[in-house]
Amino acid sequence: MKVVAAFLVFQASWHIALAYSECTNVEEPEYQGGDRQCFDYDEVGMVCGWDGTPDEAYCEVSDNGLLVCARKKGGGRCDPGTKPHTDKAHDREL
């Protein structure tokens, strides 16, 4: 019984950790403030929006290889190996 209880606690902790390591695309392409999106010339890890706040976001490589402005669900840079999703066709600035 103790083994089952310990396993359930471990499993719940694992799911909570996964939820907070989720990498979320937060781009706002029509934003007029000059940031909140990333382009092909930006560096991975550079701040792309919400500077200096708990919502600060960073340029990350998406699931299709394009740069997007993203953050970890719990705040901060996305964990290595996690990739935000995007439907955008390119990351060039037009």
Side-chain angles (χ1 to χ4, degrees):
M1 188 65 157
K2 288 182 181 179
V3 172
V4 173
F7 176 74
L8 292 175
V9 169
F10 172 77
Q11 189 175 18
S13 298
W14 176 253
H15 286 286
I16 290 169
L18 282 178
Y20 279 94
S21 69
E22 182 179 316
C23 190
T24 305
N25 179 347
V26 294
E27 284 204 335
E28 294 184 19
E30 302 300 319
Y31 181 70
Q32 298 298 310
D35 58 2
R36 298 190 180 176
Q37 57 186 328
C38 296
F39 302 105
D40 58 354
Y41 56 80
D42 291 324
E43 292 184 33
V44 172
M46 74 175 258
V47 174
C48 56
W50 299 272
D51 305 36
T53 72
D55 290 332
E56 191 167 72
Y58 309 86
C59 291
E60 301 285 356
V61 178
S62 69
D63 56 357
N64 67 0
L66 302 175
L67 284 180
V68 297
C69 191
R71 67 175 158 264
K72 187 168 31 177
K73 187 174 185 178
R77 289 239 9 231
C78 296
D79 291 335
T82 60
K83 295 186 182 288
H85 175 74
T86 185
D87 290 324
K88 70 182 186 179
H90 63 80
D91 55 6
R92 296 179 309 274
E93 186 171 21
L94 301 177

